[in-house]
Amino acid sequence: MNGCGNLPGRRRALGAGAGVLAAALLAGCAEPSGRREPTAGLPGRAAPTSGASGRAAPTSGTSGRPAPASGASAPPTPGASGPARAPAPAPRRFPGLPVRIAHGPRDLPRVALTFDGRGDPDLALAALARCERAGARVTVLAVGTWLARHPELARRILDGGHELGNHTEHHLDLAALGESAAYEEIAACARRLRRLTGSVGAWFRPSPTTYASPLVERLARRAGYPHVLACDVESLDHAATRVASVTRKVAGELRNGSVVELSLGRPVTVAALPLLLAEIGRRGLHAVTATELMARPATGAARTAG
């Protein structure tokens, strides 16, 4: 993801040293205590739990929250074995808010960490584990082809108390596509999410940037998403090679109601997370999902894009 503002951009790839850092992180070298990150959730590994904090996955029936968008969720496809699971939370409509939402209310000490769901699955698991140890609930906007390669990660995210959303099927530049092709990018990922979780996901975020043209906003609504999730703090971790670059950028812009854009499967992001989470706690802020950030009475602080 490139840019929280209004100009689309493309990400630059990290250097060859990312693989070395990834190996070090997975070996637990980045943890002062020497603990290894859990690797549950991938084939041949121990099954994931409900998260380090023992929280149950969020449901769509929390009292006092806006009603889900109609037609956005359906019962999950029955599996060959195991107990049936309730559908994942569906998109919610927040009356009075614009289609494109970049931040939450500024008068409450809450922030939302939102991650692009793609990249190394082991690093993704490490990032989720670090968030859970800090008591943070996050929002993952997943690329459809990433979920096709790692379908078990959809439930791992939800079982950790986090929420899952749509970041298009192939992470293409929607602004460069025709209307039919752009819609299919959104709809194909929505179909994949529904097959895996029973819902099209809680949010939609366009690719490769958080900016959505009026056409993309209209196509998102057609696919079942009342809002497009943008951000007001971009980490720039897609181009960073040093942890300090990420932490300075985020800490310098973080405030009540911030929606922070991060990458789930990048070594520098995983390495920066303990420092970012500690800074969030030091400021008395709470990291919640994007839906939790927006779910409040319509009165109070305005929540607008930009």
Side-chain angles (χ1 to χ4, degrees):
M1 182 76 60
N2 221 4
C4 293
N6 293 339
L7 293 178
R10 297 183 181 275
R11 294 192 164 181
R12 300 192 297 275
L14 290 174
V20 177
L21 181 53
L25 287 167
L26 293 174
C29 295
E31 284 291 318
S33 62
R35 292 173 303 197
R36 287 179 175 269
E37 301 291 355
T39 53
L42 294 181
R45 296 173 180 173
T49 66
S50 60
S53 63
R55 294 183 304 270
T59 63
S60 58
T62 303
S63 175
R65 293 185 180 180
S70 60
S73 64
T77 303
S81 62
R85 285 176 166 174
R92 297 179 182 277
R93 189 182 307 277
F94 295 95
L97 297 190
V99 174
R100 180 176 178 270
I101 301 178
H103 64 79
R106 297 298 194 191
D107 62 339
L108 295 177
R110 302 185 300 188
V111 297
L113 302 182
T114 66
F115 291 84
D116 290 4
R118 57 194 183 115
D120 188 320
D122 286 325
L123 289 175
L125 290 170
L128 292 172
R130 292 185 174 191
C131 290
E132 288 158 10
R133 281 204 299 272
R137 295 183 297 278
V138 305
T139 299
V140 177
L141 291 309
V143 174
T145 53
W146 184 70
L147 289 177
R149 292 190 297 272
H150 313 291
E152 70 285 345
L153 288 179
R155 271 296 163 187
R156 169 62 185 89
I157 290 165
L158 295 171
D159 288 348
H162 315 295
E163 65 180 357
L164 190 61
N166 180 334
H167 194 35
T168 75
E169 182 69 4
H170 297 95
H171 203 258
L172 301 178
D173 185 352
L174 294 186
L177 302 178
E179 180 173 344
S180 296
Y183 177 73
E184 182 57 22
E185 273 294 299
I186 301 170
C189 187
R191 291 193 298 269
R192 189 178 303 282
L193 286 166
R194 190 190 295 274
R195 287 195 299 271
L196 291 172
T197 71
S199 163
V200 299
W203 293 91
F204 167 71
R205 173 174 283 169
S207 63
T209 79
T210 63
Y211 171 74
S213 67
L215 172 62
V216 170
E217 290 181 353
R218 178 166 60 83
L219 296 178
R221 290 196 299 271
R222 178 179 160 195
Y225 302 95
H227 301 285
V228 172
L229 184 62
C231 68
D232 65 333
V233 178
E234 188 190 11
S235 67
L236 299 181
D237 59 355
H238 60 276
T241 57
R242 296 186 304 119
V243 167
S245 300
V246 177
T247 55
R248 277 199 304 265
K249 179 68 167 60
V250 174
E253 301 175 14
L254 191 72
R255 56 180 173 144
N256 284 8
S258 283
V259 175
V260 183
E261 187 266 348
L262 297 151
S263 301
L264 190 62
R266 291 187 181 272
V268 69
T269 311
V270 179
L273 270 174
L275 294 173
L276 290 176
L277 292 164
E279 178 64 14
I280 288 170
R282 187 188 70 79
R283 297 188 189 187
L285 300 171
H286 304 281
V288 299
T289 66
T291 297
E292 291 171 325
L293 184 68
M294 307 300 166
R296 58 165 291 170
T299 57
R303 290 157 289 163
T304 59

